[in-house]
Amino acid sequence: MKRFLLTSLTLLLSGAFLFAQERSVSGTVTDASTGEGIPGVNVLIQGTTSGSVTDIDGKFQLEVPSGAVTLVLSYVGYKTVTVALSPAQTTVDVGLEADVTALSEVVVVGYGTQEKKEVTSAVSSVKAENFNQGNVNNPAQLIQGKVAGLSITKPGGNPNGGYQIRVRGTSSVGQNTQPLVVIDGIAGGSLDNIDPQDIASIDVLKDGSSAAIYGTRGSTGVILVTTKTGKEGRFEVDYNGLVTVEMPARFVPMMDADGFRALSLELGISTNDAGSTTNWFEEITQTAKSHVHNLSMSGGSSKTTYRASINYRDAQGIAITTGFRQLNSSLNITQKGLKDKLTVTYNLFGTFKQADYGFDEAFRYATVYNPTAPVNLDPGATDYDRWQGYYQSIAFDYYNPVAILELNTNQGKDTRINQAIRGSYEVLENLSVDAFFSLQNESFLRGRYYDKNSYWRGVDTDGRGERELNQNFNQLFETTVRWTGDIGAANLNVLGGYSYQDFINEGFHAYGGIFITDAFGFNNLGAARQFPQGLGDIDSYKDRAKLIAFFGRVNLNVNETYFLSASVRQEGSSKFGENNKWGLFPAVSAGVELANFIGSPSIDNLKARVSWGVTGNLPRNSYASLFRLTSGSSFFYNGAFVPGYGPGSNANPDLKWEKKSEIDIGIDYSFMGSRIFGSLDYYTRTTSDLLLNFTVPVPPNLYNSTLSNIGEIKNSGIELAVAWKAVQATALSYTPSLTFNYYLENKIVSLSSGDLEFGGFRDISDMGSPGQNGTPLIRVEEGKEMGQIWGLVYEGVDETGNWVFADVNGDGIKSGGNEDRAVIGHGLPDFDLGFSNTFTFGQNWDANIFFRGSFGHDLLNSYRGFYEVPNLVTGYNVYETAGDIRSPGGVLLTTNSGKASSLHVEKGDFLRLDNFNIGYNFSLPANAAFRKIRLYLAGNNLFTISGYKGVDPEVRWIDQEIGSDDSYQMGGVLSPGLDRRNTWFVTRSVSLGVNLGF
Amino acid sequence: MKKQIKMKRFLFTGKIFIAVVFMLAIGQSCTNLDEEVYSEITPENYFQTEEQFISALGNAYTQLYGYAMGDIHDMRELSSDEMVTPTRGADWDDGGHLRRLHQHSWNNEDPTLNGSWNFCFGGVSTANRLIATFQGLIDDGSVSQDVAGGYIAELKVLRAFFYLTLLDTFGKVPIVTGFADAPALPASNTKQEVYDFIEAELTTNASLLTQDVGGAAYGRANYWVAQMILAKLYLNAVSYTGNVQWTKAKTACEAIINSGKFELEGDYFTNFNVNNSGSKEFIFAIPYDKVYAQGFNLPMKSLHYGSQFTFNLSSQPWNGFCSMKEFYDSYADNDLRKGDAGTVDGPATRRGNFLAGYQYTAAGLPVLDDKYERQDPANPSRPYDEDGDWVNFDPDVATIGSLTLRQAGARVGKWQYEIGGTTEMSNDFSVFRLADVILMLAEANWRLSGSSTDAVALGLLNEVRDRAGLDPVSDLDAPISFKVEDGDVPGGEIFNERGREMFEEQSRRTDLIRWGMFTEVEKWKLPTTVTGDFTVTGAHTVLFPIPKSQTDVNPNLDQNDGY
């Protein structure tokens, strides 16, 4: 204790003494290659929080304590340099070397990081400075088009809609098709719980080898999100603000009121003219205004760093009455202790979102609603009170879309909280042990109310209220041991670990009708008089699953020339059958740096690599391997109804993971002093033991479908990423970069297994009502490509006004029946590309123009398939081109029903100016109150080049009408290429943003 | 000293650290992947109380809820002359399969066929499963042979009912009686084998069943249900196997009638009211309920969209199934079963098997249809709805293609629609009732005597006619609605009476086959101009083809002749 006091006193005194003995140091920081001064370089006195920033000429000045000190100079894009100053030194000039190769950057891989030069599998990394900007409300948008092999789509502009994310196309047709998301080590995280502004980098594990360390969840790829953290040194405060104006980019080309009347006139049908002129699209849409605010502060000492941020988003949707408000906050604290041997990191993310979802159906009804109908009735009109003043045509499946949106409510409150703590202890110099615990809680509260006077829903039950709560709880414990060291010429990196994860889902749902008043909304379900009548519905559920794994990995680096990595994960899930609880997921990859052999100065890096890995996929739901009894209809026994319980699933004790084996051959390259760099990959992969709900015979089975491991699919493709620093001058720099994925093969090899015969092919995905129930649109066929759009081959209209379809089977009869159907399109794209153009103009201006496109896919335009039929003008609005459906002699089609055929399959090729932004960085004096001021203007989806006539030419990876619910035998994943009704229109937006740094 | 503190601190931290790491790593839960079930039932937590026992048995009966309005209904009704589902505008095209049922040009991919197959075999396998379960409980001593044996006999009779339905529609089907040991890909049996199996099962097990009716026996496969299945099997034996069994049919019918357990209700419609479960006429009823026992969604299938406001239904009907003019006209106007039609002066006053004419809302206002077919001056031949937007069910259905008027066709009015009802009906559906047996017995007597003036047959027939308010007939031969020009058909009065009495009770197709008229489809078929509707008809159509979905997965199934 005595000693402690003495030490403290000495420190205090010396502190005072040192303060009195400061000296001033000045200098210039230049680019080592060009000799030009670099503004904005951070100059920090090592071990303290004091420092300075270089001015526009690269000059700095700061007070330093007397004696020898060390300065740390850092700036984005340059290698950080430390400079030791002798006790008397007062000037120092430093040349910073550009952090030339993109290959020297650090890449996040599963359970750790690696320098890019050592990576031997297909991993892509996108840093914050390359993220898409502007109207970005979800982290997925940040990297849309930025990673070769990663497809991120959201057809239509629903602000509350989800993204379909595919790594290298569809690798699974069964249960889970979205990649695993890992946020700062929290496996199974949700991108919705991270504000885009808080993300430092996103890394994508694309091949089997890199993802194999995630075992049963690696098959669909892994997205690793690293959030921003505090830095030792400065206290920084950043504010980002953004205002956005968003509007529909295109509508479906339907008849306007005049066209509608003209067509009716031509048909000679005394029209269904309600006397008004209404553009229903304009009635249900609005110019959506949004604003986003992000405030963060960060800083730290050598022992403690922290970052806290708060994000607020208030966004309107382009559909009236829709939008959301979201408050998100995050906290990251890192504390070192025990002589810096122990590092403890605490992370907290919390998101609260209130959303008004509206109803997607409004888009469909707006498309087909009579354009001569008024939105509102005149007061006093018959039925004015009945429909609360809205016009309603009493017809089947035909509702005023404005009334749908305005009379009814569909709201949600989402609460998400993630907490994580990591302790990392350096036991020996080369040996460290980590323990990690995270807890994720998600809660989704929904409320819907259908008005008593809403003809669409509500009038039938005299009001209807609905409430739903779903909660997901997920805790993860992981511990890892790492050892790094050299054995001879080889540098070795060894990892071993154990992981335990527990998932609990529970929820409650109730709905009831017959309300005495609409005043309660969904807030007083007890007032629904249907409940005492035995109607209405209540249900609740709870389920639980566990994942347990042991894993290990060895990375070897021999002379910075030969690289080898091998990993294995032994993982078990409670969802598997009792005979197959544990799976083994190995991976091996190797690379060689050929530049070291070639010795050409123009080749910086040329690393050839090859990898192989096995990954898995889990059943979506728990208990799929158990024989369960579910309640069916009740049974009338002795005057009363007794609930009947019967089989709801078959036992499948052999149920196991879906297995994907993937080989990747790639090259990472960098030429001419990193003027040109990128990578090229070829992959081929086979997914077997697909998890499919398969129809099985009863008996011997108890239930008519079983979740089974069946069949095999195969994909291969080529990915290219290339960036070229075309112009690199102070006045102008220009870097174009391209990502390109070419899908070579996407084949359903087999969907049979043993006794379970698929029967060669099946036709799925029904066109639907009106009139086209039992019209399958997709053929799933063994040995053929996935996504065959299948149907009649349109030949024209005959002179009697009937459809004519080709005689495909050659029986001489143009019957238009099932036997004359053929493949009429391909739902999956041939290739996707992202083309980014980055500019800087002088010191202050920067710009980015980013194009994104997909090519080679077809889309079945459902709106045309139903409503490009002239006669429908009696009942619906029709497609603008309905009047073109004529015989060669000019006779209009006379049938009353649409008939989906090759006529309605269109090419979906598109190229979109997805993101455009231009920014101005103010030059600030070294001692200004602001560290940074940037203003920018961004545009999203400014234009799309496409011949497609429907809502959005975007790839449809999934049939939204089937969805991916596994209660269906065949998920919607097998049915790509269907542009269904109910899709929101595409939007275009312009944003003005400001970034302020203090 | 300092070193010591440091050491201690290190040891302490290290201990905690190691403890945390190994607590979970070594603890028993670390590799335990057993599933914990919370909101579902597995066999471990079932079959523990008698109520659960009954609830399991109920599973065999809930299979029947697909009978009244499911695929089996569509397949048997739409292929007869009493019902049709025309395509109306854009609605009800659905790939043409419903049109094809009417035109007898179905193919083995039509979904109704596979749905019917699955309906029947779902019933068979549920019965098999429960028989195996109950036998297992007897074998391990959990329950006595006396108790469970009765349940097993009951399940076997119920299974025979599903097999009768299969024999009637698909003919050659596999007989599967085992469960755990059932063959994965069972082979087809001949029609004779199926026939023999049904007969043997019923004769063996009927005596084990209760002869009570009502109470716990209501809606269950009791002794009389077994007799009725036998009666149906024998009456149609000529269709099923080519051998006549009129005497056996007569005996089975007499056993039911002479038991005195059943009597004709004074009012025909007592059998079809919302609260009809007490009907003394029911031999086997399916007790539907809008909440607990759903499946009888007749209002949805038959009524016009606007009829929602006639009955204040909770949902908008689909405007599909209707009857045809010739069949509608086979009822005399004074037939109490026909009912009358709504007129411009007011709604129908007399209830009947049909809803026809002008329709009114519950408030007495016209039911309107904004999308009615308007006149087309350019195409005078094109059908249009002359009376405008007021919904008027005209029994005359002119065509089956998409030019069918939205309001064409008399709708089913036989079952009482509950005011304020839902999509589902609470009326019980009689699978077997006494009036049917009376007419069957009349027919058996006539078939045996071959005399058009058979007194017993006439007496029985007139019993049913009398309730319908019709005068007695004295000769059994009569013209038939769709072939009047052919003159008297032998037994035509019985045939006609069966049609009028049993409308929508899935009897017509079997009657047409027995009278050899099912293949005369050309006489009642409606024209269609829709390409893609095949014209494959023929003698083989008395059976449906084995569905492709089944033959695809089971190569041991024989396709029926002609397909």
Side-chain angles (χ1 to χ4, degrees), chain A residues 573-586:
Chain A
S573 166
S574 59
K575 292 177 179 176
F576 300 144
E578 57 183 329
N579 300 339
N580 273 321
K581 286 285 186 200
W582 293 87
L584 190 71
F585 302 94

Side-chain angles (χ1 to χ4, degrees), chain A residues 339-360:
Chain A
K339 288 222 153 188
D340 290 352
K341 284 182 184 299
L342 178 69
T343 307
V344 177
T345 309
Y346 174 75
N347 264 326
L348 172 72
F349 305 106
T351 304
F352 181 69
K353 176 176 174 179
Q354 275 182 291
D356 287 293
Y357 299 104
F359 298 94
D360 298 353

Side-chain angles (χ1 to χ4, degrees), chain A residues 177-453:
Chain A
T177 49
Q178 301 272 62
L180 174 71
V181 173
V182 182
I183 299 166
D184 291 335
I186 306 175
S190 165
L191 287 177
D192 293 322
N193 194 17
I194 300 295
D195 194 276
Q197 298 278 8
D198 287 338
I199 297 176
S201 69
I202 296 178
D203 295 78
V204 184
L205 310 183
K206 297 190 290 191
D207 64 351
S209 158
S210 55
I213 197 80
Y214 287 104
T216 57
R217 290 179 290 178
S219 270
T220 42
V222 183
I223 293 183
L224 301 158
V225 177
T226 307
T227 59
K228 291 174 179 167
T229 55
K231 300 257 178 327
E232 180 181 336
R234 291 179 61 100
F235 170 64
E236 294 186 347
V237 176
D238 282 277
Y239 167 78
N240 299 305
L242 186 74
V243 289
T244 299
V245 179
E246 186 176 12
M247 57 228 99
R250 71 187 296 186
F251 294 132
V252 183
M254 303 302 283
M255 289 281 183
D256 61 14
D258 291 341
F260 182 83
R261 291 187 177 104
L263 183 63
S264 306
L265 206 62
E266 179 179 357
L267 286 165
I269 299 167
S270 60
T271 67
N272 198 6
D273 188 344
S276 291
T277 295
T278 303
N279 181 332
W280 288 101
F281 296 138
E282 285 175 6
E283 296 296 333
I284 64 155
T285 56
Q286 62 185 355
T287 300
K289 299 168 201 76
S290 308
H291 53 106
V292 175
H293 307 277
N294 163 270
L295 185 68
S296 68
M297 55 186 165
S298 65
S301 65
S302 58
K303 299 287 185 201
T304 311
T305 57
Y306 64 90
R307 181 176 185 277
S309 77
I310 188 153
N311 306 287
Y312 179 71
R313 291 171 185 271
D314 184 336
Q316 288 181 332
I318 55 150
I320 54 172
T321 75
T322 66
F324 71 86
R325 282 172 294 153
Q326 175 174 302
L327 186 73
N328 164 286
S329 54
S330 75
L331 177 66
N332 171 291
I333 298 173
T334 303
Q335 173 71 47
K336 287 186 174 166
L338 301 181
K339 288 222 153 188
D340 290 352
K341 284 182 184 299
L342 178 69
T343 307
V344 177
T345 309
Y346 174 75
N347 264 326
L348 172 72
F349 305 106
T351 304
F352 181 69
K353 176 176 174 179
Q354 275 182 291
D356 287 293
Y357 299 104
F359 298 94
D360 298 353
E361 291 88 342
F363 286 89
R364 170 178 163 192
Y365 295 117
T367 308
V368 300
Y369 216 70
N370 185 342
T372 67
V375 178
N376 297 106
L377 295 169
D378 294 327
T382 327
D383 287 344
Y384 182 86
D385 291 335
R386 187 185 182 192
W387 306 128
Q388 282 206 12
Y390 291 98
Y391 174 89
Q392 290 291 2
S393 171
I394 306 302
F396 184 68
D397 196 27
Y398 203 59
Y399 308 99
N400 181 332
V402 177
I404 290 178
L405 290 170
E406 290 184 347
L407 286 177
N408 308 306
T409 44
N410 183 7
Q411 295 178 332
K413 290 188 173 76
D414 296 354
T415 310
R416 293 183 162 91
I417 295 170
N418 288 13
Q419 299 169 77
I421 187 159
R422 179 186 297 281
S424 179
Y425 190 78
E426 208 179 303
V427 182
L428 299 166
E429 198 185 335
N430 296 330
L431 182 70
S432 67
V433 182
D434 274 35
F436 177 73
F437 177 75
S438 74
L439 188 62
Q440 285 189 76
N441 266 303
E442 295 175 309
S443 158
F444 308 102
L445 179 65
R446 297 279 181 274
R448 282 176 280 270
Y449 184 75
Y450 303 100
D451 194 279
K452 288 155 72 83
N453 301 100

Side-chain angles (χ1 to χ4, degrees), chain B residues 123-142:
Chain B
V124 168
S125 75
T126 305
N128 288 344
R129 172 171 61 78
L130 290 167
I131 290 168
T133 306
F134 293 165
Q135 189 61 50
L137 293 172
I138 295 172
D139 294 347
D140 69 19
S142 327

Side-chain angles (χ1 to χ4, degrees), chain A residues 809-872:
Chain A
N809 69 347
D811 63 359
I813 305 166
K814 295 188 175 188
S815 72
N818 267 1
E819 72 287 354
D820 277 338
R821 289 175 191 241
V823 175
I824 53 175
H826 307 277
L828 294 173
D830 292 335
F831 63 93
D832 306 321
L833 62 83
F835 182 44
S836 175
N837 298 274
T838 309
F839 299 88
T840 62
F841 308 99
Q843 303 283 4
N844 304 108
W845 289 95
D846 60 66
N848 192 294
I849 303 171
F850 177 66
F851 295 91
R852 188 171 65 80
S854 290
F855 302 85
H857 60 292
D858 297 310
L859 290 168
L860 181 108
N861 185 337
S862 306
Y863 278 123
R864 285 184 59 212
F866 281 110
Y867 308 112
E868 198 179 45
V869 176
N871 269 344
L872 276 186

Side-chain angles (χ1 to χ4, degrees), chain A residues 267-268 270 393 395 425 455 460 498 542 548 574 623 627-629 634 643 647 698 702 770-771 773 815 871 875 896, chain B residues 10 30 35-36 39-41 43 55 65 90-91 93-94 125 129 292 314 316 370-371 374 376-377 382 402 531-532:
Chain A
L267 286 165
S270 60
S393 171
Y425 190 78
Y455 178 51
D460 44 6
Y498 166 78
K542 178 177 177 179
I548 297 174
S574 59
Y623 318 129
F627 166 55
R628 288 165 293 161
L629 294 154
S634 295
V698 180
L702 295 156
N773 289 316
S815 72
N871 269 344
N896 282 347
Chain B
F10 170 73
C30 95
E35 292 203 276
E36 286 176 62
S39 53
E40 310 212 26
I41 294 177
S55 140
Y65 295 160
D91 295 329
D93 181 64
D94 299 343
S125 75
R129 172 171 61 78
Y292 296 108
S314 73
Q316 200 176 44
D370 288 356
K371 291 198 200 168
R374 290 156 169 85
D376 180 352
R382 190 186 174 85
S402 70
T531 49

Side-chain angles (χ1 to χ4, degrees), chain A residues 550-810:
Chain A
F550 299 90
F551 54 90
R553 181 171 60 205
V554 179
N555 290 329
L556 200 63
N557 172 347
V558 182
N559 287 334
E560 305 278 318
T561 302
Y562 301 99
F563 306 96
L564 185 78
S565 175
S567 72
V568 65
R569 186 173 178 110
Q570 165 92 10
E571 185 162 57
S573 166
S574 59
K575 292 177 179 176
F576 300 144
E578 57 183 329
N579 300 339
N580 273 321
K581 286 285 186 200
W582 293 87
L584 190 71
F585 302 94
V588 183
S589 60
V592 56
E593 181 49 78
L594 298 173
N596 295 353
F597 299 102
I598 300 167
S600 159
S602 62
I603 299 175
D604 316 314
N605 298 95
L606 188 64
K607 183 176 64 189
R609 52 185 162 73
V610 58
S611 78
W612 167 80
V614 177
T615 51
N617 201 341
L618 288 167
R620 186 180 301 119
N621 296 329
S622 292
Y623 318 129
S625 73
L626 302 181
F627 166 55
R628 288 165 293 161
L629 294 154
T630 53
S631 82
S633 306
S634 295
F635 161 54
F636 192 73
Y637 175 73
N638 212 0
F641 280 97
V642 179
Y645 275 84
S649 66
N650 294 313
N652 181 2
D654 295 325
L655 183 71
K656 61 178 185 178
W657 52 97
E658 189 172 296
K659 178 177 156 189
K660 190 187 82 182
S661 169
E662 180 165 0
I663 291 170
D664 185 290
I665 300 168
I667 292 173
D668 295 328
Y669 58 88
S670 166
F671 303 130
M672 298 160 64
S674 291
R675 290 285 291 267
I676 298 171
F677 58 90
S679 62
L680 177 68
D681 281 88
Y682 164 79
Y683 63 86
T684 176
R685 56 196 198 177
T686 301
T687 311
S688 52
D689 296 332
L690 298 170
L691 287 164
L692 289 174
N693 263 308
F694 211 76
T695 305
V696 292
V698 180
N701 295 285
L702 295 156
Y703 187 69
N704 63 15
S705 88
T706 303
L707 184 65
S708 317
N709 294 99
I710 281 177
E712 184 175 308
I713 59 172
K714 222 179 146 178
N715 321 83
S716 61
I718 291 171
E719 290 160 9
L720 172 71
V722 57
W724 176 37
K725 291 181 179 168
V727 180
Q728 278 182 291
T730 315
L732 171 71
S733 79
Y734 169 49
T735 306
S737 61
L738 178 76
T739 62
F740 181 83
N741 346 310
Y742 191 83
Y743 303 100
L744 287 171
E745 188 182 23
N746 209 330
K747 185 174 162 186
I748 299 167
V749 179
S750 148
L751 287 172
S752 303
S753 162
D755 290 345
L756 299 173
E757 271 288 324
F758 183 72
F761 67 86
R762 286 186 199 179
D763 299 322
I764 62 170
S765 276
D766 199 21
M767 183 75 179
S769 174
Q772 298 190 65
N773 289 316
T775 305
L777 299 171
I778 298 289
R779 173 159 283 197
V780 178
E781 192 168 3
E782 293 183 315
K784 292 287 174 65
E785 63 165 329
M786 194 190 298
Q788 299 183 92
I789 303 173
W790 189 73
L792 297 167
V793 179
Y794 175 74
E795 284 193 339
V797 173
D798 66 21
E799 298 304 328
T800 60
N802 277 319
W803 295 110
V804 181
F805 299 106
D807 169 25
V808 172
N809 69 347

